[in-house]
Amino acid sequence: MKILLIAINAKYIHSNLAVYCLRACAGEYREQVEIAEYTINHQKEEILADIYRRKPDVAAFSCYIWNREYVAGLIRDFHLLCPKVPVWAGGPEVSYDAVRFLQEYPQAAGVMAGEGERSFRALAEIYAGGLEAETELAGIPGLIWRRASGEICENLPAKQMDLDEIPFVYESLEDFAHKIIYYESSRGCPFSCSYCLSSIDKRVRFRSLELVLQELQFFLDAKVPQVKFVDRTFNCSHSHAKAIWRYLAEHDNGITNFHFEIAADLLDEEELEILAGMRVGLIQLEIGVQSVNPKTLQEIERVTEISRLAQRTAYVRGGNNIHQHLDLIAGLPYEDYESFIHSFNEVYAMAPQQLQLGFLKVLKGSKMHQMAGKYGLVYRQEPPYEVLYTRWISYEEILKLKGVEEMVEVYYNSSQFANVLEALEQCFPHPYGMFEALARYYEENGLRGRNHSRMGRMEILRSFAHEVDAERGALYDELLLLDLYLRENSKSRPAWAKDLSAYREGFREFYQSEAENHRYLKGYQGYTSRQMMNMTHGEVFFEDVLKTGGALPCRVVFDYHSRSPLTGNAAVWVLAGGGAQVFEC
């Protein structure tokens, strides 16, 4: 007997925590449960063939908004190949509309709705134990299933689990090489945001700290690159968050990064103090702002004190040791185009490392889904159920926001053009106006929908900057060079960059001195001056792009062995007076 749990992930680096929890909770039937993970980038034919070759006796698919249509096609095709193999589905995308799903896909035997661990354990017992399926299925909470006659039966909901009952799923890390590790220390959310399914389960359950700390130590000992907590609001319990953050700070291995989704306005002084003392890059924070419009926040039942959130994120940013990712959602009630611009500019002013401009997804089972008529909320009828327009914002305006989203993702969130964007902002009444104008420039010049290289993106930004502000063209050129070499030792020098042949001898003398003494460039011991010259980059700036206030022209060396753990930027050595001074930007 083989029960195959199938996960279709968005990217290769992702893993599906849910299917591993199901297998871990299968008890004595665990050895008969196999996991197959794929991505939506695989060809369906390849996945179908692989599932078929595995010869499952039962197949179960994990369903989310990003893979529902993909999974549906696989269920239909697999049933044609193996009509006698029962096919089950589970996950948030089918849990709240299970009957309709089974009506739409008669090839499926049933759905495990909501928390599936207990339901799956009982299901495994039926199939692996050779029990009479139809008789036994009727007694398993959490199942919506189909009788042989075609009748669809809805069982009572499954009871919520004590999280300590779920075994640790990462006994071995062999299956997770080169992947993000997902970890869950709590389920549920105390808040009632109307667009979110987590609001349905207001009872927050925590895994005991004793277990959590033991399991986090396992990750630390294994030196995994990243652990991503899937807790909906990690810091809703101060004692829980503080204990975990203190432990990570005290047991830091210098390598592992931990990701948390938090409510920044809940951070208290003690938590801020703990965060301030952490290693650069030890943790990163994802913070959902969604909107700064008070009426919008009230309508979606999101309890957020924006002024306190801004103050808390500013404090964290001041420590220069923690990556902050702030989120906005377009298409919320009472948020028109001008209101969203205001929300964008307010959040942009908080200077996060990343600003995610997302679009409302109308999830089945959410209050937003129930209120769609009241809001004039029209959304795509296929996953991901994204907003098309509302009473307050038109489809044309949504399309404008889509263009801005692309520009923010390419030019801001990549952190590859930070210095030139900072200067270019001065030409516009507000930051949103800059990204809107840049999106329009892409549209008018037929640049959208193409795969541009980083150098191609830089050339486009340069043309845009020169068109907007021709008088400062030389400044923009040098800022673009600064941004380019901060991130990579590019051997493809732009055609418009200044000729540096007159300065080569001065750089050569610096590298010869370093080869003898290694006073400044650390980590290059054993390399010749020529090798160090190739491993770093020497540049001359004729504008004060580093804002050092020193003499111009300014000779600098980009040191790629010494990078900021927060930004990834190379350290910059400013050469002057026969010496060098490090400058981070």
Side-chain angles (χ1 to χ4, degrees):
M1 168 61 63
K2 179 192 289 186
I3 302 173
L4 186 63
L5 294 173
I6 303 162
I8 315 291
N9 301 321
K11 296 179 181 178
Y12 171 77
I13 61 169
H14 296 169
S15 58
N16 186 303
L17 180 58
V19 294
Y20 287 95
C21 286
L22 293 181
R23 184 176 67 177
C25 290
E28 63 268 38
Y29 306 106
R30 177 172 177 164
E31 295 306 313
Q32 293 165 276
V33 179
E34 187 176 304
I35 290 174
E37 288 193 276
Y38 312 96
T39 79
I40 56 176
N41 297 314
H42 282 101
Q43 293 293 325
K44 284 186 182 179
E45 293 81 359
E46 294 176 6
I47 297 178
L48 181 65
D50 190 63
I51 295 172
Y52 177 81
R53 291 189 189 104
R54 289 172 182 261
K55 301 298 182 186
D57 297 290
V58 180
F61 289 85
S62 181
C63 300
Y64 297 86
I65 56 173
W66 66 80
N67 71 10
R68 184 187 185 279
E69 296 304 304
Y70 206 99
V71 167
L74 287 170
I75 290 176
R76 284 191 294 259
D77 292 342
F78 180 71
H79 182 73
L80 293 174
L81 295 172
C82 304
K84 293 184 179 180
V85 175
V87 176
W88 288 78
E93 183 51 28
V94 293
S95 286
Y96 298 97
D97 202 6
V99 172
R100 182 177 174 182
F101 178 83
L102 292 178
Q103 290 171 341
E104 190 173 350
Y105 301 101
Q107 301 87 355
V111 169
M112 290 176 281
E115 267 184 14
E117 285 91 353
R118 284 198 176 114
S119 303
F120 179 72
R121 165 66 179 75
L123 207 60
E125 182 178 15
I126 289 174
Y127 289 114
L131 303 178
E132 174 56 42
E134 193 156 302
T135 302
E136 299 294 332
L137 287 174
I140 301 176
L143 298 187
I144 294 88
W145 55 285
R146 191 192 313 277
R147 292 187 184 274
S149 63
E151 177 191 358
I152 295 174
C153 303
E154 295 184 72
N155 294 356
L156 293 173
K159 291 182 179 179
Q160 293 178 338
M161 289 193 69
D162 180 337
L163 295 194
D164 285 1
E165 294 179 15
I166 300 176
F168 185 53
V169 304
Y170 297 106
E171 293 177 349
S172 169
L173 293 173
E174 291 180 7
D175 294 334
F176 303 96
H178 311 297
K179 293 189 176 184
I180 298 170
I181 299 294
Y182 293 94
Y183 183 78
E184 182 177 48
S185 75
S186 68
R187 282 184 185 174
C189 182
F191 304 112
S192 304
C193 304
S194 63
Y195 54 82
C196 181
L197 289 178
S198 296
S199 64
I200 295 171
D201 179 10
K202 295 184 177 61
R203 175 174 169 258
V204 185
R205 292 160 288 150
F206 296 93
R207 195 167 176 84
S208 66
L209 278 171
E210 181 181 4
L211 281 178
V212 170
L213 300 184
Q214 288 176 10
E215 291 160 0
L216 294 182
Q217 189 59 52
F218 174 83
F219 299 135
L220 290 165
D221 291 342
K223 294 182 170 59
V224 301
Q226 185 177 55
V227 176
K228 201 163 188 176
F229 277 65
V230 297
D231 304 38
R232 299 310 303 159
T233 306
F234 173 76
N235 63 326
C236 64
S237 165
H238 291 292
S239 59
H240 183 79
K242 288 174 188 176
I244 291 174
W245 283 341
R246 281 198 192 97
Y247 188 88
L248 295 180
E250 293 167 2
H251 296 81
D252 178 23
N253 62 12
I255 296 172
T256 306
N257 164 266
F258 294 86
H259 176 104
F260 301 92
E261 186 173 333
I262 70 164
D265 54 317
L266 295 183
L267 291 170
D268 63 25
E269 299 301 325
E270 189 177 357
E271 287 166 333
L272 290 172
E273 185 178 343
I274 295 169
L275 296 177
M278 288 182 169
R279 165 181 63 87
V280 179
L282 172 58
I283 73 166
Q284 60 190 50
L285 302 176
E286 182 173 351
I287 299 162
V289 184
Q290 320 313 12
S291 173
V292 304
N293 184 324
K295 195 167 185 179
T296 296
L297 293 174
Q298 180 180 7
E299 184 66 22
I300 64 175
E301 301 179 35
R302 184 168 180 82
V303 182
T304 304
E305 191 177 334
I306 295 298
S307 60
R308 181 179 170 88
L309 183 148
Q311 184 258 337
R312 290 315 196 225
T313 56
Y315 184 96
V316 173
R317 183 177 70 249
N320 201 32
N321 65 330
I322 293 173
H323 175 106
Q324 293 187 103
H325 175 137
L326 272 55
D327 296 332
L328 282 170
I329 297 178
L332 294 172
Y334 296 101
E335 186 95 275
D336 60 19
Y337 192 68
E338 292 303 318
S339 171
F340 188 85
I341 290 174
H342 176 66
S343 289
F344 179 95
N345 290 327
E346 289 291 301
V347 174
Y348 192 88
M350 298 178 195
Q353 276 70 36
Q354 286 193 316
L355 197 171
Q356 184 67 49
L357 198 172
F359 293 83
L360 177 65
K361 312 293 191 296
V362 185
L363 304 178
K364 297 173 185 176
S366 68
K367 186 176 179 182
M368 187 66 68
H369 182 262
Q370 300 170 13
M371 300 292 288
K374 173 186 174 183
Y375 301 145
L377 174 53
V378 176
Y379 56 93
R380 291 175 56 191
Q381 296 305 292
E382 295 180 349
Y385 313 112
E386 193 171 272
V387 61
L388 293 172
Y389 62 89
T390 72
R391 280 173 48 195
W392 299 274
I393 195 163
S394 69
Y395 181 58
E396 184 175 349
E397 290 166 335
I398 289 289
L399 290 178
K400 286 184 183 179
L401 292 176
K402 288 281 185 180
V404 169
E405 176 202 23
E406 181 184 352
M407 296 302 99
V408 170
E409 189 64 27
V410 167
Y411 289 105
Y412 182 85
N413 289 345
S414 69
S415 301
Q416 295 176 349
F417 305 93
N419 291 288
V420 71
L421 288 183
E422 183 181 349
L424 197 51
E425 283 174 33
Q426 300 170 21
C427 301
F428 296 89
H430 46 66
Y432 183 91
M434 175 181 67
F435 291 107
E436 185 181 45
L438 185 54
R440 188 165 54 249
Y441 183 84
Y442 263 70
E443 188 73 36
E444 291 172 350
N445 290 277
L447 298 168
R448 292 196 67 185
R450 298 186 191 178
N451 290 323
H452 300 283
S453 65
R454 186 195 173 190
M455 293 294 283
R457 297 285 191 186
M458 184 177 71
E459 293 290 351
I460 294 169
L461 186 58
R462 177 177 183 263
S463 297
F464 173 73
H466 279 245
E467 182 176 296
V468 168
D469 184 12
E471 290 185 5
R472 296 199 300 169
L475 173 64
Y476 294 128
D477 286 356
E478 297 206 349
L479 287 170
L480 284 165
L481 285 177
L482 174 62
D483 284 330
L484 172 65
Y485 290 117
L486 277 172
R487 298 306 293 271
E488 62 179 286
N489 188 8
S490 176
K491 301 306 180 185
S492 300
R493 187 166 176 79
W496 42 263
K498 288 185 173 66
D499 180 11
L500 302 183
S501 56
Y503 299 88
R504 285 175 185 163
E505 185 58 34
F507 281 116
R508 188 176 295 112
E509 291 175 0
F510 170 77
Y511 285 111
Q512 288 173 345
S513 175
E514 278 300 288
E516 295 173 3
N517 299 314
H518 292 288
R519 294 176 61 193
Y520 305 110
L521 299 177
K522 306 302 179 184
Y524 296 86
Q525 286 77 4
Y527 292 103
T528 67
S529 60
R530 181 175 294 276
Q531 287 173 323
M532 284 193 291
M533 191 178 298
N534 288 330
M535 296 166 71
T536 60
H537 176 74
E539 187 62 51
V540 179
F541 292 111
F542 300 86
E543 304 272 347
D544 190 17
V545 296
L546 296 179
K547 302 177 183 177
T548 62
L552 295 173
C554 178
R555 294 183 304 135
V556 304
V557 169
F558 293 88
D559 179 2
Y560 300 103
H561 272 193
S562 179
R563 290 181 180 269
S564 165
L566 195 61
T567 65
N569 285 347
V572 176
W573 290 95
V574 178
L575 311 185
Q581 182 178 356
V582 71
F583 188 85
E584 187 174 312
C585 50

